[in-house]
Amino acid sequence: MYEASMQGNTIVVQNTHATGFILTLDSAIIRIKAELERCSPKKLIWFLAPTVALCEQQYGVLSTSLPAVQIRLLLGSDSVDHWSEQRIWDIVLDNFKIVVSTHAVLTDALGHGFVTMDRLSLLVFDEAHHCARGHPANKIMTDHYHPLLRSKGAGAVPSILGLTASPTIRSKASDLSVIERNLNAACRTPRVHRLELLKHVHRPEFIRFVYTPNPDNDTPSALSRLRAVSDAAETLAWRSKLTSNFFPGTQNQMFPSYQASDLKQLKQFHTKACHIHQELGGWASEYYIYESIRRFSDAVTSERHVPFRTRDNKSELLFEKLQEVILDGCSDDAARIPDRMGTSEKVQQLIQFLTTHDEAKRYGIIFVEQRATVAVLDKLLSTHPMTKDIVKCSTFVGTSTNSRRRTSIGDWLDSAQQQDALESFRRQDRNLIIATSVLEEGIDISACNVVICFNKPANLKSFIQRRGRARKEESIFVLMLSSEDEFSGHNIWEALEKTMMEAYQQDAAERQRAQRLEDIEEHSESRFEIECTGALLTFDEAVAHIYHFCATLPPQPYVDMRPTLYFREDVSTKLITAILTLPNCVDPSVRRASSQHQWRTERMAVKDAAFQAYIALHRKGLVNDNLLPLLGYDEEMLVTFETRDAFKEVSQTYDSWLDIAKEWMKPEPLLYRKVISIKRPGQQALSMDMIVPRRFTSFSPYTLYWDEKTKYTVCIHEPVSRNRVDPACLPIMRQITATILRSVHSSRMTPDKDDFLVLFLPSIDQSDLASWLEANTGEFPASDLCSRSLEAPYGLIREPSLHGAPHTFREFEAKDAIKVVALPKRRDFLHHGYPVGHDEDKNEAAITDRKTRILPVESSTVDKLSLDFVECSLLIPSVLHQLWRRCLALDLSSSFLEDVKFSTIEYIITATNAPSANETTNYQRLEFFGDSILKFLVSIHLYKKHTSWPEGYLSRAKDRVVGNSRLARAGAEAELDRYIVTKPFTARKWTPEYVSHYSQLAVPEKRTLSTKVLADVVEALIGGAFLDGGLEKAAVCASLLLPEIPPTLKFNPPNNPDSSRSSHVPDVYLSGLESFLGYKFRNSRLLREALTHPSCQNDADTLSYQRLEFVGDAALDMLVISYLTDNASHLPHGRMHLIKAAMVNAGFLAYLCLNASVEQDMIDVHSGKNALTFEERRTLRSVNLCRFMQHQNPHIETALSSCDSRFERMRSDIRSCLEHEPRYPWVLLTSLAPEKFLSDIIESIFGAILMDSAGELQACNRFAERIGLLKYLSRVLDEEVDLRHPKTILSEVAGDRIVEYNVGVQEELEGYSCTIKVGAVEVATVFNGSSSEEVMTRAANTAIKLIAK
């Protein structure tokens, strides 16, 4: 129908039995969207409906479906008839694109020239069958449309879309052509699977009741007296014109003079009462009269508006007389309960029907003729002893409220309450709704299983519309006819309907003919064969292949992933073309396919279309050469995840000393000097030279920990004097190194070996080395301490009985004794305290509480080597370990990672330190960064490389690349295992490395390494590259490790602004939204795509948001990572993980989506102090961001409304928590239970902005600021908000006790419950959850509070 309406003016004719309201209005919405996209911004779309109630309903549906477009509802209650100036109309229509009104409103506006026909782009006629004869709908066409069409042609008039379920009002089938001629349109019935549609239509059972009318002589007393009062008032009013204001005579003195309108209402009151008596019986008329006068009396007493408008406010006198003459003499009929004797035969038959059918047959509508009957029948059924317990009634008479209309006596129903009554029926809180004919047309209500015509339908249209309300299976349609009715035979109604159905569906014979055509045998020899594989596609397999392809696409909530079909029939040849449409996650260029040939049968047309579609999918690369879908099959980038062993046998960590040993073994090694400066707080810095046969760049300073409180800073730099190291001095240098090391590490040294890999010397000239060695070698008696200054350098004190254990001098205890303190056993100065889990750490107190001894002076000796060099000797193992790590990192940096060009090797060192190595840093923090960066790089690459792949293909390919199996394989292929340090540094077991140890190379040993460690190191290196040089350097690193990723992050240059922007998305749709997003799109199609739900199938040129959501998910991760890098790079990786998880949490993003709204200006006019003056009022209209999403599934709107309701209840609590509370609102966000598409919208917008801006993350940041994400992220960092999930906190609180979650389903309440046991003790139970996650979160939170008490 959409395609037909785009090609020309169309009347969509839908059988009411097939949920016509939903289908026809859905067609209208799709058509309106298309018109918005192509029409001039100055044009209007005008939606017309015959009744106020229908206008209000369709306005609500359009507002929901097109929330971003301003829609104006114009009704008589708006005082439209008083808008007598063009200025007012201009104000009213300013900024509005769609107007909804009755036909009369537009007729008057066109007639007075306030609106012109050429200003309209599309005219939508709901219930288009009204466009005939003198109806205002036809006046619009005959007086304004057709004259303009004749004078200026089709380009000057709007397009026409008609919606109807019955194309004529009267009983003549020939009127169909009249309606088509009047609307300048052609009737079209849905062609898609018409046979299937008719097969599933539920035609109701037809039941006719014939009743005998109430006899005229059976008139109740109240009705008789009311007639007397009415007649007397009319007579006396006529006499008062000739005499005076009061009639002569005793009785007549009580009656003042009355206006004609007063008498008219009194007469109408009597007429209504008579009608009720005729329809419902004596009790009903008594009750109606009594209740009407009582309600009016109450209105007079409370000084509310009264229906009679009299001079001198004398209406009270009239009703005093009515009370005296009527009520005071009224019998008890009005007060008693209605029974068989007080009701009409018609009512008795109705009650008999209701009581003899089971409850399942009592959900429906009772159509009556007059508004007054609605109210009284409601009362009668609600109080009658046979029905009061089986029916719950609502009433509906429409919501029309003309501004000049006054309520008449006897009209009780409040228009303002009508919508509530309708909603209660829709919710099935009420099982019957009593209504006038206003409920026949268009108004959306649930399908009924009973429809009762209490009065005969006025015409064929009413008959068809009413019968169409009985759409449920085994429904009943009841027609109540008077025995005096000339049309009491119901066959005439069926005959008329059959004639009409034949006119636009070619009757049952035509359908049988269509079935016979489908049985015709047709064949095709078409084949599609793949040469390289021999795979073959024919017509017979094509449909199955298409359905299989769709089945491999990832399922989506609210989306039917099956292909859709519709048919086009050539009017002249009767041959059929099939059009097949795939789900909107498929690339638009291959989403739609038509059969190449025309066919006599739908069956062959479908096969042809499927054949063409599958060939197109193969050519687009979505089907492989075996003619199988890529997803789930052995195709590059899309194979099933690699299997990964938990552990892998790999090489031992490469010994970087080997390279230095090889340099020493050269005949004339080149030696290089480095100065090691060790800064000590409050003391002079230590300094010594380091000699190695290898050139090093300057190292970054690092920290050593002398004790728990004292930190040393080690700097290695070039010497001031760059004198060449003299090889002739090597023997002395080795002796000096041995002297320094032996002071502390003598027990760990090999005797008679001094070919050290690294030499340590005092920072003095080479010519002074010999004298320094002589002065610092050996020892002197401890007794000499008494005769020399203690300020002179001296070394460690030893005593033979203690096996020469080193001690430091404290003080003289006596002339023959000294107090000393044992040298600390600690040798690892790379960490605070002692490394956990090693023997040297068992007594941490030994660091500060070393044993004090008294040694005899006579037998003790003092080393000549000063304590400064002893301290250097203690630190040398730690210094050498750091040197070894840097040599290892330099080797990796200069080999495999050379192209990355790391500016510092610190990131490489950190990235290759496994946590088990217990180094000062490990890869965990860098791995956290690398994980998100790799995901970002891969997502962007796949999105840009595979432009036709659906999101499911992209996700599978991404998961394969970033999966641990692939990363572990990449690490092994790059031989990263040689550089990964897993064993801790054990300084207590340290021994010097000698050149001779490397003279004979042993067979390399193997070790077992976790493949997860290999994968983590790959990500850590990428994370280190990012911190070192941004995304560009990270991309290079990622490409080296994973060749499938390009080394450069290429984005297409930003497109030029769309010259035909309005042809893509209407300005009214974009302008306010772009302003809110903080970004103006160069390619507006991306924004449109970001807001298109997968259920939206009408736009063949726009993909769903899934591909952009895929990119946006990675972009959001990258945004958070970048913010942490810039503002909190010092945080531990565990805290960063919590922050990222909280920021990208689907519930949090959904809250941001629900909380975000776009403000739109609105201008309205309101009546002034009198009805002829108006004032302009400007207001703002808020449109929630989620309401910009385009979709085509009514269940989405239901889900969205439910989310809105929960959000409104919880909004203030969540906002308060985000702004003030010290904990993340896990409980509130899970209780919000948002739909996934809400978070998808946020991510897809991030993706659209990223791609449109050519990768500019700053543009994404602006959007993140607008929705409040960065604001909360900043607060999380500044105030250290607790982001732990309640389940995590409970686990920590429970300690060693086991926490057990028992989740159950409450079948009665259709909700979840959860009971928590901690250590086998039941702690908390919660109920009424919408999901298992919600109840577990709530229960954990409750348990935490209870345990804390």
Side-chain angles (χ1 to χ4, degrees):
M1 290 299 99
Y2 165 72
E3 286 77 9
S5 68
M6 291 297 290
Q7 294 171 4
N9 295 344
T10 302
I11 304 170
V12 180
V13 181
Q14 178 65 55
N15 188 339
T16 57
H17 304 296
T19 61
F21 166 78
I22 296 174
L23 294 178
T24 53
L25 190 56
D26 191 44
S27 299
I29 292 171
I30 296 171
R31 179 65 180 85
I32 289 171
K33 288 180 180 178
E35 192 66 29
L36 284 171
E37 295 166 19
R38 70 180 189 179
C39 73
S40 166
K42 297 180 179 180
K43 294 273 189 176
L44 288 173
I45 295 172
W46 208 292
F47 192 104
L48 297 161
T51 65
V52 171
L54 193 53
C55 284
E56 290 176 334
Q57 175 185 283
Q58 309 302 54
Y59 169 76
V61 173
L62 290 171
S63 298
T64 300
S65 303
L66 303 167
V69 181
Q70 295 200 38
I71 305 174
R72 169 71 78 183
L73 175 64
L74 295 181
L75 302 174
S77 57
D78 296 318
S79 299
V80 176
D81 49 347
H82 288 159
W83 295 350
S84 57
E85 299 179 32
Q86 184 67 49
R87 176 185 63 86
I88 298 174
W89 281 91
D90 291 342
I91 293 172
V92 168
L93 299 179
D94 188 34
N95 287 338
F96 286 88
K97 295 295 294 181
I98 302 173
V99 180
V100 180
S101 77
T102 59
H103 305 96
V105 171
L106 181 57
T107 302
D108 290 346
L110 290 169
H112 293 291
F114 298 130
V115 176
T116 57
M117 186 60 69
D118 58 3
R119 187 181 176 185
L120 306 182
S121 176
L122 174 66
L123 265 175
V124 183
F125 288 86
D126 198 5
E127 306 299 339
H129 46 266
H130 286 283
C131 193
R133 291 178 171 76
H135 194 279
N138 197 32
K139 289 177 68 67
I140 293 171
M141 299 300 294
T142 57
D143 295 351
H144 304 282
Y145 178 92
H146 286 289
L148 186 61
L149 176 64
R150 288 191 295 268
S151 63
K152 294 188 177 181
V157 294
S159 300
I160 301 295
L161 176 64
L163 311 174
T164 185
S166 50
T168 65
I169 291 179
R170 304 183 68 200
S171 304
K172 295 181 181 179
S174 59
D175 285 350
L176 175 59
S177 60
V178 174
I179 301 298
E180 289 183 314
R181 184 172 62 253
N182 292 346
L183 286 175
N184 190 33
C187 285
R188 294 286 184 270
T189 304
R191 183 68 178 79
V192 180
H193 299 304
R194 183 176 62 178
L195 294 176
E196 287 295 314
L197 189 65
L198 293 173
K199 186 186 300 183
H200 291 91
V201 165
H202 302 305
R203 294 186 177 274
E205 176 188 356
F206 188 90
I207 297 177
R208 182 188 59 172
F209 290 138
V210 179
Y211 63 90
T212 303
N214 269 1
D216 292 335
N217 57 2
D218 183 19
T219 304
S221 58
L223 183 58
S224 299
R225 285 190 291 272
L226 176 60
R227 179 173 183 176
V229 172
S230 178
D231 291 345
E234 186 174 3
T235 302
L236 295 174
W238 176 76
R239 289 180 181 178
S240 67
K241 296 179 181 179
L242 304 176
T243 57
S244 63
N245 290 333
F246 294 92
F247 296 102
T250 305
Q251 180 180 0
N252 296 338
Q253 290 179 357
M254 297 298 299
F255 291 91
S257 61
Y258 300 100
Q259 295 182 10
S261 58
D262 300 337
L263 298 175
K264 180 179 178 182
Q265 289 202 42
L266 185 58
K267 187 173 182 178
Q268 289 175 345
F269 180 35
H270 171 255
T271 302
K272 292 176 184 177
C274 291
H275 176 79
I276 289 173
H277 171 256
Q278 188 71 22
E279 292 286 294
L280 307 180
W283 177 89
S285 61
E286 293 278 296
Y287 172 76
Y288 174 68
I289 295 169
Y290 174 83
E291 185 67 13
S292 296
I293 296 174
R294 184 191 66 79
R295 288 176 180 247
F296 181 75
S297 298
D298 291 345
V300 172
T301 303
S302 60
E303 297 183 351
R304 296 196 302 266
H305 170 71
V306 294
F308 279 55
R309 296 178 293 126
T310 64
R311 292 187 298 268
D312 304 323
N313 295 321
K314 295 179 179 179
S315 57
E316 294 89 339
L317 298 176
L318 170 63
F319 277 89
E320 287 177 8
K321 188 62 180 179
L322 285 174
Q323 288 177 322
E324 176 187 338
V325 175
I326 300 177
L327 296 187
D328 293 346
C330 188
S331 66
D332 295 332
D333 286 356
R336 65 182 171 85
I337 297 175
D339 55 17
R340 184 178 182 84
M341 298 303 294
T343 55
S344 66
E345 180 181 339
K346 189 176 185 179
V347 169
Q348 293 169 20
Q349 290 191 15
L350 173 64
I351 292 174
Q352 179 69 19
F353 171 79
L354 294 175
T355 55
T356 55
H357 286 76
D358 58 31
E359 184 177 355
K361 299 292 186 182
R362 289 197 297 267
Y363 182 79
I365 308 170
I366 301 176
F367 284 104
V368 300
E369 188 174 299
Q370 294 190 8
R371 294 165 60 100
T373 311
V374 171
V376 180
L377 184 57
D378 173 34
K379 178 67 176 180
L380 190 153
L381 294 178
S382 300
T383 56
H384 196 285
M386 296 181 66
T387 56
K388 64 178 182 179
D389 296 326
I390 64 173
V391 300
K392 296 179 180 178
C393 296
S394 286
T395 59
F396 189 78
V397 294
T399 57
S400 177
T401 54
N402 188 285
S403 61
R404 294 182 293 180
R405 175 179 174 177
R406 295 180 178 272
T407 305
S408 63
I409 186 169
D411 190 0
W412 310 341
L413 296 175
D414 186 356
S415 297
Q417 298 176 356
Q418 296 300 288
Q419 195 62 33
D420 293 338
L422 201 58
E423 288 299 326
S424 67
F425 181 71
R426 287 170 177 158
R427 295 192 303 267
Q428 299 190 10
D429 296 338
R430 297 286 185 269
N431 61 353
L432 282 179
I433 186 166
I434 305 170
T436 60
S437 59
V438 72
L439 203 57
E440 291 176 353
E441 295 184 300
I443 295 177
D444 181 25
I445 59 173
S446 304
C448 302
N449 49 32
V450 61
V451 171
I452 302 171
C453 295
F454 199 69
N455 302 98
K456 72 170 185 177
N459 47 44
L460 174 63
K461 183 267 298 187
S462 292
F463 177 78
I464 294 175
Q465 293 280 19
R466 292 182 182 187
R467 206 189 76 164
R469 291 297 190 183
R471 295 194 300 268
K472 283 192 174 180
E473 191 173 0
E474 298 182 357
S475 57
I476 299 173
F477 180 70
V478 178
L479 184 61
M480 304 191 76
L481 298 171
S482 168
S483 58
E484 301 174 355
D485 195 333
E486 60 177 318
F487 293 107
S488 59
H490 66 277
N491 291 336
I492 188 170
W493 299 99
E494 291 185 334
L496 287 171
E497 184 191 32
K498 182 178 178 180
T499 302
M500 183 50 54
M501 296 298 289
E502 288 174 352
Y504 61 81
Q505 292 190 348
Q506 300 180 355
D507 66 30
E510 182 67 22
R511 294 195 296 274
Q512 292 175 3
R513 173 181 168 276
Q515 184 62 61
R516 287 195 300 270
L517 285 174
E518 287 302 305
D519 293 336
I520 294 174
E521 290 293 331
E522 292 184 289
H523 302 281
S524 173
E525 300 299 326
S526 298
R527 295 161 54 92
F528 180 71
E529 187 171 359
I530 307 297
E531 292 185 7
C532 61
T533 63
L536 176 66
L537 178 70
T538 66
F539 266 37
D540 290 336
E541 293 93 21
V543 174
H545 275 64
I546 281 292
Y547 274 86
H548 182 214
F549 172 81
C550 292
T552 64
L553 299 173
Q556 293 289 325
Y558 307 108
V559 181
D560 186 351
M561 302 303 292
R562 295 174 298 180
T564 59
L565 289 162
Y566 77 92
F567 303 95
R568 202 163 45 223
E569 188 175 57
D570 189 299
V571 178
S572 59
T573 64
K574 302 299 181 182
L575 296 179
I576 296 171
T577 300
I579 296 91
L580 182 145
T581 304
L582 298 173
N584 79 341
C585 62
V586 179
D587 187 86
S589 63
V590 293
R591 185 186 305 161
R592 183 168 293 182
S594 300
S595 51
Q596 193 172 43
H597 305 285
Q598 291 183 320
W599 302 89
R600 297 178 68 186
T601 64
E602 291 182 358
R603 183 184 69 257
M604 283 302 292
V606 171
K607 289 182 178 181
D608 190 355
F611 185 78
Q612 306 304 327
Y614 211 72
I615 293 174
L617 290 173
H618 176 266
R619 290 171 177 166
K620 198 67 176 178
L622 298 176
V623 172
N624 64 17
D625 286 340
N626 297 106
L627 294 180
L628 292 171
L630 296 188
L631 197 60
Y633 293 95
D634 189 10
E635 183 76 15
E636 184 183 0
M637 299 290 289
L638 290 173
V639 296
T640 307
F641 293 111
E642 297 180 46
T643 58
R644 173 176 65 90
D645 294 329
F647 295 93
K648 182 180 180 64
E649 190 178 67
V650 298
S651 302
Q652 288 285 353
T653 304
Y654 177 67
D655 189 354
S656 57
W657 293 132
L658 176 60
D659 294 333
I660 294 179
K662 289 179 179 179
E663 293 296 326
W664 279 114
M665 293 175 189
K666 291 180 179 180
E668 295 182 0
L670 294 176
L671 301 179
Y672 301 93
R673 181 196 305 269
K674 290 287 185 180
V675 176
I676 301 175
S677 177
I678 304 174
K679 297 179 181 179
R680 304 178 294 178
Q683 301 181 65
Q684 184 177 359
L686 299 173
S687 180
M688 58 181 173
D689 288 357
M690 177 177 69
I691 307 298
V692 287
R694 179 177 178 179
R695 183 184 296 278
F696 294 110
T697 57
S698 297
F699 297 126
S700 300
Y702 58 87
T703 300
L704 297 178
Y705 302 90
W706 179 250
D707 55 34
E708 290 181 324
K709 299 179 180 180
T710 308
K711 296 180 182 180
Y712 289 179
T713 300
V714 179
C715 300
I716 301 178
H717 53 84
E718 297 290 337
V720 176
S721 173
R722 297 185 178 273
N723 294 335
R724 179 176 175 274
V725 178
D726 186 358
C729 297
L730 277 178
I732 295 177
M733 293 179 181
R734 287 175 175 144
Q735 291 180 45
I736 292 175
T737 301
T739 299
I740 294 174
L741 292 177
R742 195 177 295 113
S743 64
V744 176
H745 309 287
S746 58
S747 62
R748 310 295 303 174
M749 297 174 67
T750 303
D752 302 325
K753 271 189 175 289
D754 62 1
D755 55 336
F756 303 107
L757 284 173
V758 180
L759 304 179
F760 294 96
L761 311 171
S763 297
I764 58 178
D765 192 83
Q766 294 183 60
S767 60
D768 298 329
L769 291 178
S771 58
W772 184 95
L773 179 62
E774 182 180 355
N776 287 274
T777 302
E779 64 275 341
F780 59 87
S783 57
D784 291 356
L785 288 174
C786 300
S787 60
R788 62 186 293 177
S789 170
L790 293 178
E791 303 225 347
Y794 62 90
L796 295 172
I797 298 174
R798 307 174 191 271
E799 208 278 328
S801 63
L802 297 178
H803 307 288
H807 296 77
T808 57
F809 175 78
R810 280 291 176 264
E811 60 185 355
F812 289 102
E813 185 68 17
K815 290 185 179 180
D816 57 351
I818 55 176
K819 181 184 289 188
V820 296
V821 178
L823 191 71
K825 293 182 179 181
R826 183 182 180 202
R827 297 296 181 265
D828 179 7
F829 298 97
L830 296 174
H831 305 89
H832 287 287
Y834 290 97
V836 178
H838 300 286
D839 293 340
E840 62 187 73
D841 310 319
K842 291 182 179 178
N843 185 10
E844 187 173 326
I847 300 175
T848 54
D849 299 332
R850 299 195 300 272
K851 188 173 182 179
T852 301
R853 286 191 173 93
I854 305 298
L855 299 182
V857 172
E858 183 178 353
S859 59
S860 299
T861 62
V862 181
D863 291 348
K864 291 183 179 180
L865 185 67
S866 69
L867 289 177
D868 282 350
F869 281 98
V870 170
E871 193 167 334
C872 287
S873 181
L874 283 170
L875 298 176
I876 279 175
S878 298
V879 171
L880 284 176
H881 179 74
Q882 288 286 10
L883 179 63
W884 173 80
R885 282 299 288 115
R886 278 153 176 74
C887 289
L888 190 65
L890 281 172
D891 184 67
L892 178 58
S893 176
S894 60
S895 56
F896 183 79
L897 297 178
E898 183 178 9
D899 290 343
V900 181
K901 295 180 173 54
F902 277 95
S903 62
T904 172
I905 62 171
E906 298 301 323
Y907 290 120
I908 298 178
I909 293 171
T910 299
T912 52
N913 281 339
S916 61
N918 199 34
E919 295 287 322
T920 53
T921 61
N922 63 54
Y923 63 59
Q924 290 177 317
R925 179 170 161 275
L926 293 183
E927 182 268 335
F928 165 76
F929 285 107
D931 176 74
S932 295
I933 293 156
L934 179 60
K935 174 182 173 182
F936 180 78
L937 294 172
V938 172
S939 297
I940 298 299
H941 166 62
L942 292 174
Y943 178 89
K944 296 179 67 61
K945 179 180 179 181
H946 302 287
T947 56
S948 62
W949 277 13
E951 179 272 337
Y953 286 22
L954 295 175
S955 293
R956 179 68 67 90
K958 180 207 69 177
D959 291 343
R960 181 182 182 275
V961 175
V962 304
N964 284 334
S965 297
R966 176 67 184 97
L967 298 181
R969 181 161 60 87
E973 290 170 352
E975 297 184 344
L976 294 182
D977 51 294
R978 300 175 67 245
Y979 302 97
I980 299 175
V981 178
T982 56
K983 292 182 179 180
F985 168 60
T986 52
R988 289 282 301 276
K989 298 179 181 180
W990 177 84
T991 58
E993 297 289 347
Y994 301 97
V995 176
S996 56
H997 287 173
Y998 294 91
S999 59
Q1000 293 183 349
L1001 298 178
V1003 177
E1005 296 181 1
K1006 296 289 185 178
R1007 59 173 170 161
T1008 300
L1009 185 66
S1010 167
T1011 51
K1012 176 66 166 59
V1013 171
L1014 267 173
D1016 288 347
V1017 169
V1018 170
E1019 291 181 324
L1021 286 170
I1022 296 171
F1026 169 75
L1027 295 178
D1028 188 57
L1031 275 174
E1032 292 78 9
K1033 191 169 285 190
V1036 173
C1037 183
S1039 182
L1040 288 172
L1041 294 163
L1042 299 162
E1044 56 264 46
I1045 303 175
T1048 56
L1049 188 64
K1050 292 183 179 179
F1051 285 89
N1052 293 331
N1055 297 330
N1056 293 327
D1058 291 335
S1059 59
S1060 57
R1061 182 186 183 94
S1062 61
S1063 67
H1064 301 320
V1065 184
D1067 287 346
V1068 67
Y1069 185 82
L1070 275 180
S1071 56
L1073 181 57
E1074 288 183 321
S1075 176
F1076 169 77
L1077 299 179
Y1079 180 79
K1080 189 173 184 64
F1081 279 82
R1082 300 174 176 88
N1083 180 4
S1084 59
R1085 285 186 180 273
L1086 285 172
L1087 178 56
R1088 180 177 182 176
E1089 181 180 325
L1091 298 166
T1092 302
H1093 188 269
S1095 67
C1096 190
Q1097 295 281 31
N1098 64 286
D1099 188 348
D1101 298 324
T1102 302
L1103 279 166
S1104 71
Y1105 60 54
Q1106 292 167 288
R1107 277 176 55 89
L1108 287 176
E1109 183 263 332
F1110 168 79
V1111 174
D1113 175 59
L1116 180 56
D1117 279 8
M1118 194 66 217
L1119 185 150
V1120 175
I1121 291 298
S1122 298
Y1123 191 91
L1124 292 176
T1125 303
D1126 295 339
N1127 298 278
S1129 59
H1130 61 283
L1131 291 177
H1133 79 280
R1135 175 66 176 169
M1136 287 188 175
H1137 268 294
L1138 287 175
I1139 292 173
K1140 190 183 85 166
M1143 293 303 105
V1144 303
N1145 172 260
F1148 177 61
L1149 296 179
Y1151 164 79
L1152 296 178
C1153 184
L1154 290 166
N1155 193 55
S1157 60
V1158 178
E1159 301 292 336
Q1160 294 181 344
D1161 291 328
M1162 287 188 65
I1163 305 175
D1164 208 345
V1165 294
H1166 293 265
S1167 299
K1169 295 181 179 179
N1170 59 70
L1172 300 179
T1173 60
F1174 298 90
E1175 58 184 28
E1176 178 182 330
R1177 293 184 186 176
R1178 291 182 175 268
T1179 58
L1180 288 177
R1181 182 178 83 118
S1182 293
V1183 181
N1184 287 348
L1185 179 60
C1186 57
R1187 292 293 181 178
F1188 284 84
M1189 183 182 72
Q1190 303 295 300
H1191 63 84
Q1192 278 182 254
N1193 190 320
H1195 297 295
I1196 291 179
E1197 187 56 41
T1198 302
L1200 192 52
S1201 297
S1202 298
C1203 284
D1204 276 338
S1205 298
R1206 292 191 297 272
F1207 173 70
E1208 290 303 324
R1209 291 196 306 269
M1210 302 171 65
R1211 179 207 294 258
S1212 60
D1213 292 338
I1214 297 176
R1215 178 184 298 169
S1216 176
C1217 189
L1218 293 175
E1219 292 179 354
H1220 307 292
E1221 294 297 321
R1223 288 182 59 187
Y1224 187 78
W1226 285 110
V1227 174
L1228 292 172
L1229 293 177
T1230 53
S1231 298
L1232 182 61
E1235 293 288 337
K1236 181 180 180 296
F1237 57 71
L1238 293 171
S1239 57
D1240 288 347
I1241 291 172
I1242 295 293
E1243 291 179 333
S1244 64
I1245 292 176
F1246 274 120
I1249 294 174
L1250 183 77
M1251 301 313 298
D1252 189 73
S1253 64
E1256 184 185 338
L1257 279 174
Q1258 188 58 40
C1260 295
N1261 280 342
R1262 288 194 292 272
F1263 174 53
E1265 289 174 358
R1266 296 298 177 92
I1267 60 177
L1269 190 149
L1270 289 187
K1271 178 181 178 182
Y1272 185 60
L1273 177 54
S1274 175
R1275 179 173 177 261
V1276 165
L1277 296 178
D1278 294 342
E1279 302 181 23
E1280 298 182 357
V1281 175
D1282 187 354
L1283 302 174
R1284 294 173 299 167
H1285 195 279
K1287 292 168 68 176
T1288 302
I1289 298 175
L1290 180 60
S1291 179
E1292 294 173 0
V1293 171
D1296 296 335
R1297 294 175 292 177
I1298 297 176
V1299 179
E1300 187 178 345
Y1301 293 84
N1302 296 316
V1303 178
V1305 178
Q1306 303 168 262
E1307 295 183 359
E1308 297 179 357
L1309 300 176
E1310 298 183 354
Y1312 290 83
S1313 64
C1314 179
T1315 298
I1316 287 184
K1317 293 182 180 180
V1318 178
V1321 177
E1322 187 173 313
V1323 177
T1325 300
V1326 297
F1327 300 96
N1328 303 328
S1330 60
S1331 66
S1332 58
E1333 181 61 27
E1334 178 194 347
V1335 291
M1336 286 194 291
T1337 304
R1338 286 169 49 204
N1341 193 60
T1342 302
I1344 293 168
K1345 295 177 181 178
L1346 293 174
I1347 293 175
K1349 293 181 179 180

